[in-house]
Amino acid sequence: MIRYIKNTKFLLILLTILSCSDNQKTKPKNFPTLIDTFQIKTNKYNQGKFGVSSSTILYLGKKNDPIIINYNLKEFTNPPPPPPPPFPTADSENFKRDSLEFQKTLDQYIEERRNHPLIDHYILYADSRNRYTYPAESDIKISIDTTQIIKHDASELQWDKYYSGYPILIENKSSDTIIIGYESYIPIIFEAKNNEGKWLPIEKEYIFKCGNGMRSLLFPPNQILITSKPIYNGNFKTDLRVRFGENYSNSIKAKINLSQFDKP
C-alpha cells in the first residue's frame, strides 16, 4: 500500500512536470504548419546588450496550411549605380562599355523587381500616409509559436549571421488594408519582464539611415504574415512577448541577459 502511494505520488509529479512543459510548447490555435527548407544548424542568440529588431517577411498572403517559408522575400535588390562620368569624352570606349554594363544591370534589376512575389504589396511611403492606417488602429492578432523552430536572420549584421528563431504569425482580422512594415522589415519588438515583473523593451525598431524612396508594405484584410524573432539564451529566466504598436502577442517563457534591458 505504501509502495502504491509512493508510485502514485511519483506519477502525479511527473504528470505535473510534463503538463508545465506542454503548456510552454503548446501550438497557438490556427497557427499553420511551416515548411522550412533551411537545413543548416542554428544556435540560440546570446545577446549582451539592448538590441535592434531584425524581423523580415517570410510569408504574406492567404492563410494556407502548410506554408513554405521564403527567406528570399527580403532580398529586394537596390537599383544599380549610374555609370561614371565620361572620360575623356562621351565617345570613349570606356564610357560606352560602362553604359552598356549599366543598362544590362538596370534591365536585370527591373525584371527582378517586376517578378517579386510582393511587388503589389508595396507603395511609396509618401503616398501611403494618408491612405492607409497602422496596426495600432486596426484589428490584428499576433501569435508566437514555440513548437516550431526556423532560421532568424540578423539584419543588423547585414544578414551574414543567423540564429534559431520562433515564427511569428500576424493576422489582419479587420476589413481594411493596413500598413504592416517598410521595405522588408516588420517593426515588431520583444518585451520582457524585469526583476520587478514590469514589461520593458529589450530592443528597438530598425531605422533606415536614408528614407528617400522608402516604401510601405501593405497588408490586405483576411491575410496573414509570417516573420520571426530570435530564440535568446541567457542567465535570467523571464517572460517574453511581441509588441507591435499597441498590439501584443501571447507571452512565452525564455532566458535572456539582464543587460538587454539597458538602453544605450
Side-chain angles (χ1 to χ4, degrees):
M1 184 64 178
I2 295 177
R3 183 177 181 183
Y4 173 78
I5 293 175
K6 288 183 176 178
N7 288 339
T8 302
K9 288 182 176 179
F10 173 76
L11 288 174
L12 288 174
I13 294 172
L14 181 60
L15 287 173
T16 301
I17 294 173
L18 291 176
S19 175
C20 292
S21 176
D22 288 342
N23 285 338
Q24 170 62 9
K25 294 297 182 180
T26 298
K27 187 176 181 180
K29 186 178 180 180
N30 296 328
F31 206 111
T33 299
L34 304 178
I35 299 176
D36 188 358
T37 57
F38 186 82
Q39 300 297 324
I40 300 177
K41 184 178 179 181
T42 56
N43 299 311
K44 294 181 179 179
Y45 192 8
N46 198 331
Q47 172 73 297
K49 61 181 180 179
F50 192 81
V52 178
S53 179
S54 56
S55 297
T56 57
I57 313 168
L58 301 178
Y59 176 83
L60 197 164
K62 294 182 178 180
K63 192 168 188 177
N64 298 319
D65 199 348
I67 286 176
I68 299 177
I69 294 299
N70 186 355
Y71 294 106
N72 293 324
L73 290 179
K74 67 178 180 296
E75 303 296 347
F76 221 133
T77 57
N78 295 318
F87 178 82
T89 66
D91 296 327
S92 68
E93 290 300 318
N94 288 339
F95 180 78
K96 291 179 180 178
R97 184 177 64 251
D98 289 338
S99 298
L100 290 173
E101 186 64 29
F102 169 76
Q103 188 61 50
K104 179 181 177 181
T105 306
L106 180 61
D107 291 342
Q108 182 180 355
Y109 166 77
I110 294 173
E111 186 66 18
E112 290 177 357
R113 189 182 181 92
R114 183 184 296 120
N115 294 326
H116 193 278
L118 298 181
I119 185 63
D120 293 333
H121 288 75
Y122 283 104
I123 184 173
L124 285 176
Y125 173 74
D127 296 333
S128 68
R129 286 179 294 178
N130 298 322
R131 295 175 58 185
Y132 301 97
T133 61
Y134 288 85
E137 307 166 14
S138 305
D139 185 12
I140 67 170
K141 181 180 179 182
I142 309 172
S143 304
I144 308 174
D145 185 3
T146 59
T147 68
Q148 303 185 78
I149 296 178
I150 60 177
K151 183 185 75 160
H152 177 82
D153 290 308
S155 61
E156 61 177 314
L157 302 172
Q158 300 301 313
W159 297 319
D160 58 352
K161 285 191 177 181
Y162 40 80
Y163 301 92
S164 300
Y166 287 137
I168 310 297
L169 169 67
I170 303 178
E171 303 173 74
N172 184 357
K173 304 180 77 66
S174 73
S175 58
D176 299 318
T177 294
I178 59 179
I179 299 173
I180 199 68
Y182 40 89
E183 296 303 329
S184 60
Y185 290 94
I186 311 302
I188 57 177
I189 64 168
F190 253 152
E191 291 187 335
K193 284 185 177 180
N194 64 5
N195 279 321
E196 300 175 352
K198 182 179 179 181
W199 286 105
L200 293 174
I202 59 172
E203 60 184 9
K204 63 181 179 179
E205 295 178 16
Y206 179 89
I207 299 176
F208 283 91
K209 295 181 179 179
C210 178
N212 290 335
M214 189 176 72
R215 296 158 301 169
S216 297
L217 179 64
L218 301 181
F219 192 21
N222 302 315
Q223 291 198 358
I224 67 169
L225 181 145
I226 302 292
T227 182
S228 65
K229 296 301 288 182
I231 301 176
Y232 285 120
N233 191 24
N235 51 23
F236 178 63
K237 293 182 180 180
T238 185
D239 294 334
L240 289 181
R241 70 180 181 184
V242 168
R243 178 168 67 84
F244 195 150
E246 298 302 320
N247 300 281
Y248 300 90
S249 72
N250 55 305
S251 62
I252 63 171
K253 299 295 182 183
K255 292 181 179 180
I256 66 171
N257 294 305
L258 283 172
S259 55
Q260 290 180 245
F261 288 111
D262 299 333
K263 288 186 177 181

